[in-house]
Amino acid sequence: DAKTTQPNSMESNEEEPVHLPCNHSTISGTDYIHWYRQLPSQGPEYVIHGLTSNVNNRMASLAIAEDRKSSTLILHRATLRDAAVYYCILRRGNEKLTFGTGTRLTIIP
Amino acid sequence: DTAVSQTPKYLVTQMGNDKSIKCEQNLGHDTMYWYKQDSKKFLKIMFSYNNKELIINETVPNRFSPKSPDKAHLNLHINSLELGDSAVYFCASSQAYQNNEQFFGPGTRLTVL
């Protein structure tokens, strides 16, 4: 499985944008980049996914580097409710989702 | 309007007992999953069923037996519980196995004493 590397933790101020980085230098051409998050005491929640082009949805934006070796999840305006562990996952075709350790995001009021 | 529900939310039991965790999804999805999140917060897939057929079995001890009576339900039965089975178990579903978005349930915290 292609691996991803994320910082263990990050902090951000409330109502400011948050950029969560993910490195995946061994990504293959058919690997999709997925992001899930897990709020405290809850199950994981899908955030966004993409292949090559940047993606936007109501929750976040995904910026993918041109060489696809890294990506950034962007929360445009962080709220306290965004405090969670964010997982960057590569998924090839029908393979299972493999969760790593993720980035624990703390939002400072 | 719960999408993926699990019962019970908490389960405390003695070593050696047999217990079941139930999962139901009302999303009309074809594929369901069981994941285990241990005390170190690692989340790993255990099983996946597509249209009631087992498609993933991740080297899980055969004390764990998933059962899918229909597409909307995937129950997890555990025999002869061990201390190491203590974890949070999450059920999930997706439209199809190929689809990207998985919807997770709230989890069942199992404590084996």
Side-chain angles (χ1 to χ4, degrees), chain A residues 10-19 75 77-80 105-109:
Chain A
M10 288 183 64
E11 288 185 350
S12 182
N13 293 321
E14 193 177 10
E15 298 185 5
E16 290 187 357
V18 182
H19 288 67
L75 306 179
R77 190 168 169 272
T79 68
L80 295 177
L105 176 65
T106 300
I107 304 299
I108 302 168

Side-chain angles (χ1 to χ4, degrees), chain A residues 34 36 38 43-44 91 94 101, chain B residues 37 97-100 102 104:
Chain A
H34 296 251
Y36 280 75
Q38 188 172 18
R91 187 183 187 196
N94 296 341
T101 54
Chain B
Q37 188 165 40
Y97 187 54
Q98 296 86 346
N99 270 40
N100 295 293
Q102 292 186 17
F104 284 78

Side-chain angles (χ1 to χ4, degrees), chain A residues 51-70:
Chain A
L51 182 62
T52 56
S53 303
N54 295 344
V55 185
N56 300 296
N57 67 19
R58 62 175 179 83
M59 287 182 70
S61 295
L62 176 59
I64 301 173
E66 197 169 333
D67 64 3
R68 300 186 72 234
K69 293 186 176 183
S70 66

Side-chain angles (χ1 to χ4, degrees), chain A residues 13-101:
Chain A
N13 293 321
E14 193 177 10
E15 298 185 5
E16 290 187 357
V18 182
H19 288 67
L20 295 159
C22 181
N23 287 323
H24 27 78
S25 58
T26 60
I27 192 170
S28 78
T30 56
D31 286 335
Y32 279 79
I33 303 160
H34 296 251
W35 284 82
Y36 280 75
R37 70 180 185 180
Q38 188 172 18
L39 279 64
S41 301
Q42 294 189 28
E45 175 186 31
Y46 168 84
V47 178
I48 201 166
H49 76 277
L51 182 62
T52 56
S53 303
N54 295 344
V55 185
N56 300 296
N57 67 19
R58 62 175 179 83
M59 287 182 70
S61 295
L62 176 59
I64 301 173
E66 197 169 333
D67 64 3
R68 300 186 72 234
K69 293 186 176 183
S70 66
S71 60
T72 302
L73 180 71
I74 303 166
L75 306 179
H76 295 286
R77 190 168 169 272
T79 68
L80 295 177
R81 197 195 171 277
D82 292 320
V85 178
Y86 286 78
Y87 299 97
C88 171
I89 304 166
L90 299 184
R91 187 183 187 196
R92 184 177 305 168
N94 296 341
E95 287 184 352
K96 61 184 185 292
L97 283 178
T98 301
F99 287 80
T101 54

